[in-house]
Amino acid sequence: HLHRASLLLPALEAALANFSAGAAGGGVYLGVMPAYSAADDALTTKLVTFYEHLKDSSVPSHQATVLLFDPSNGTLKAVLDGSVITAKRTAAVSAIATKLLMPPFAEVLCILGAGVQAYSHYDIFTELFTFKEVRIWNRTKEKALQFASSVSGPVRVCSSAQEAVTGADVIVTVTMATAPILFGAWVKPGAHINAVGASRPDWRELDDELMRNSVLFVDSRDAARTESGDVILSGAEIFAELGEVLKGTKPALPEKTTVFKSLGMAVEDTVAAKFVYDAWSAGN
């Protein structure tokens, strides 16, 4: 019946009336992340839904889709699994930060959290770096045990975040925490922290002491100053964007205690989606 547009009238009339009445839906989060990169000849939009602490935990908190367009004429070329792209590109950016900022003889990797990002970070970190020990802590121990039994290498499950962090050279925080779970008093001097969770201005993963006594790197200054509770609420000063280190205008300072606050940028999804699409095209 779609050819009979008149059948849409009652639904549209109700929607227009509801809109003018100010009737809004609540508790639904849909993020839209458009980006165009002339250098990569790529145009994308990522759509991500975010529902925290759903009763049905088989559904992930974040679900995403990436739309890849032809920049020359706007045609939709592909619809990609944005959840996989988000997981992989986020971990890859953390790995870039770690390559630049970790202490020279890093032996212990600690992961706080055991969700999707924990797996993607574990995969790329164990591929790129050689750690003698990997530790994990999670709020619910079952998920940490499940993680340890399903990844390729040995992982020590810790019963507290403090136990996991003590003596660690590289720390990854990938939690749903809204208040600090990582404290500066626990952190080994010279360690490198990738802070990936707490993507809202009122959420924290790291305490004030850690934020203020480490050198702070971000993916985007603007995003960190408006979206990151760890940055906003601690009043910590941003030392550099990762891109500034990569192009050589800011030093990396691996000898210092460093924090990379990752919020994720649309251009990362664009580059990743184009990479996947190009590889798929070459295979076909």
Side-chain angles (χ1 to χ4, degrees):
H1 290 293
L2 278 176
H3 65 283
R4 292 185 60 193
S6 58
L7 295 172
L8 264 175
L9 259 60
L12 288 170
E13 285 167 355
L16 290 164
N18 283 336
F19 174 80
S20 293
V28 172
Y29 177 86
L30 170 67
V32 183
M33 297 172 68
Y36 168 61
S37 170
D40 298 288
D41 190 37
L43 175 65
T44 65
T45 290
K46 183 168 80 176
L47 304 171
V48 56
T49 55
F50 175 42
Y51 289 69
E52 62 179 301
H53 311 307
L54 278 180
K55 297 286 176 283
D56 174 12
S57 63
S58 67
V59 179
S61 59
H62 296 67
Q63 296 178 76
T65 303
V66 177
L67 305 178
L68 179 72
F69 300 91
D70 184 333
S72 67
N73 60 18
T75 303
L76 178 65
K77 286 162 70 167
V79 178
L80 298 99
D81 183 333
S83 300
V84 173
I85 285 173
T86 303
K88 300 271 190 204
R89 65 79 158 151
T90 304
V93 172
S94 295
I96 293 167
T98 301
K99 191 173 69 166
L100 295 165
L101 304 170
M102 74 176 179
F105 303 105
E107 295 185 344
V108 179
L109 170 66
C110 161
I111 301 173
L112 303 181
V116 169
Q117 288 288 349
Y119 287 90
S120 61
H121 278 75
Y122 175 89
D123 287 345
I124 194 163
F125 275 53
T126 53
E127 182 189 332
L128 289 177
F129 312 114
T130 313
F131 294 105
K132 287 190 177 164
E133 185 183 22
V134 181
R135 304 173 189 166
I136 189 161
W137 169 83
N138 191 63
R139 193 172 45 91
T140 53
K141 196 166 187 177
E142 302 87 69
K143 276 188 81 179
L145 290 165
Q146 189 186 340
F147 179 95
S149 65
S150 60
V151 296
S152 55
V155 174
R156 178 177 143 203
V157 176
C158 297
S159 37
S160 72
Q162 183 172 1
E163 181 197 337
V165 166
T166 303
D169 301 292
V170 176
I171 301 163
V172 179
T173 61
V174 280
T175 72
M176 292 285 279
T178 55
I181 44 112
L182 178 60
F183 295 86
W186 305 344
V187 174
K188 177 180 177 176
H192 170 63
I193 297 102
N194 297 290
V196 180
S199 55
R200 303 263 185 109
D202 54 341
W203 289 6
R204 300 286 301 262
E205 284 187 313
L206 282 49
D207 77 336
D208 283 353
E209 184 186 341
L210 181 53
M211 288 301 298
R212 290 173 186 166
N213 296 331
S214 53
V215 184
L216 177 59
F217 298 80
V218 297
D219 42 17
S220 158
R221 286 174 196 272
D222 291 346
R225 289 189 184 119
T226 55
E227 293 169 33
S228 167
D230 282 319
V231 175
I232 297 162
L233 300 174
S234 67
E237 189 185 331
I238 296 168
F239 176 72
E241 290 182 344
L242 209 48
E244 294 176 309
V245 179
L246 289 165
K247 64 180 186 145
T249 56
K250 284 282 174 82
L253 307 177
E255 69 285 356
K256 305 268 197 188
T257 305
T258 52
V259 170
F260 169 58
K261 176 59 211 156
S262 163
L263 285 159
M265 295 193 290
V267 72
E268 296 162 5
D269 301 306
T270 301
V271 169
K274 180 77 160 39
F275 177 83
V276 171
Y277 181 81
D278 288 348
W280 174 82
S281 300
N284 282 277

